[in-house]
Amino acid sequence: QTVVTQEPSLTVSPGGTVTLTCASSTGAVTSGYYPNWFQQKPGQAPRALIYSTSNKHSWTPARFSGSLLGGKAALTLSGVQPEDEAEYYCLLYYGGARLFGGGTKLTVL
Amino acid sequence: QVHLVESGGGLVKPGGSLRLSCAASGFTFSDYYMSWIRQAPGKGLEWVSYISSSSSDIKYADSVRGRFTISRDNAKNSLYLQMNSLRAEDTAVYYCVRDLGSGGGIDVWGQGTTVTVSS
């Protein structure tokens, strides 16, 4: 059974930079897995941030960027704001199926 | 403005059935793949199923295959999820999402409808 793994939690200071990663149990994550990233705040539906590794939606703040890093998909937040405190989920495509990672709880402190 | 509104959630006994609906507006529904994604209480996101724009391509997660059926009515701009043989572990908020496929990703989410399976 394929598993997508994210850091359970990370802490960052306001104004700082943090990188969240997304790994696949099948091996290195490549652009062929079309990584997506989503942000979810308590009590809200998730919001899409990044698709196909590094592409931003029209509403995605410039401080969010996606990439591939060391065989994983990565989401980097630069100049973190207090409102970025949230749960972040990655999604990978495995042919027709899609699999989410378990999520990373980002604390801004 | 693109809008997705789910309905049909509720309390159902184990073994029972429920049909979820999703009303789409603000875009040409028939041009897009659509998916259902769920989130159990206090847990992460789980992709459930997708359907292509013409209904010719459908996929399910292993956890629901054989019990859930996704469908759509492009004339009514609506997406459906028929859920049979429900189990306690199907308890979750179910989200309807616009799915642009691997190249475009998932972009728009509904607010979700809650399904509770309990005796």
Side-chain angles (χ1 to χ4, degrees):
Chain A
Q1 180 169 341
T2 303
V3 177
V4 178
T5 302
Q6 299 180 242
E7 297 87 358
S9 64
L10 291 170
T11 300
V12 61
S13 300
T17 296
V18 65
T19 297
L20 290 64
T21 67
C22 176
S24 173
S25 62
T26 59
V29 175
T30 65
S31 58
Y33 287 85
Y34 304 96
N36 281 224
W37 290 93
F38 304 91
Q39 177 193 64
Q40 186 179 33
K41 296 182 179 179
Q44 297 183 15
R47 180 176 74 138
L49 293 174
I50 300 288
Y51 65 96
S52 197
T53 304
S54 58
N55 294 282
K56 298 179 187 182
H57 293 282
S58 59
W59 53 82
T60 304
R63 61 184 179 275
F64 292 86
S65 63
S67 64
L68 296 175
L69 200 62
K72 300 178 184 181
L75 176 70
T76 299
L77 287 71
S78 305
V80 171
Q81 303 295 308
E83 61 264 29
D84 296 333
E85 182 163 294
E87 192 86 22
Y88 290 85
Y89 294 94
C90 69
L91 172 78
L92 300 180
Y93 285 72
Y94 294 86
R98 293 101 161 98
L99 277 180
F100 282 97
T104 296
K105 181 175 174 56
L106 182 66
T107 300
V108 181
L109 205 55
Chain B
Q1 186 177 357
V2 177
H3 213 47
L4 298 170
V5 179
E6 303 93 336
S7 61
L11 175 63
V12 60
K13 289 181 168 51
S17 298
L18 211 54
R19 190 195 196 206
L20 305 184
S21 299
C22 171
S25 60
F27 65 103
T28 305
F29 180 73
S30 58
D31 285 349
Y32 291 88
Y33 279 50
M34 298 293 293
S35 281
W36 287 99
I37 291 167
R38 69 184 181 183
Q39 187 169 35
K43 302 296 185 183
L45 300 171
E46 180 186 16
W47 170 77
V48 172
S49 178
Y50 82 72
I51 185 169
S52 65
S53 53
S54 65
S55 303
S56 60
D57 186 16
I58 288 173
K59 292 282 192 299
Y60 298 97
D62 290 345
S63 58
V64 306
R65 188 176 296 115
R67 299 187 299 123
F68 289 12
T69 302
I70 192 171
S71 63
R72 64 191 296 160
D73 185 336
N74 287 341
K76 294 183 177 179
N77 292 337
S78 293
L79 175 72
Y80 306 102
L81 186 67
Q82 178 66 44
M83 304 185 296
N84 298 332
S85 303
L86 282 162
R87 307 166 179 167
E89 54 265 36
D90 295 318
T91 294
V93 175
Y94 284 74
Y95 295 103
C96 164
V97 302
R98 191 170 76 171
D99 191 334
L100 282 68
S102 56
I106 289 168
D107 63 347
V108 180
W109 294 67
Q111 281 305 300
T113 188
T114 300
V115 173
T116 302
V117 184
S118 174
S119 54

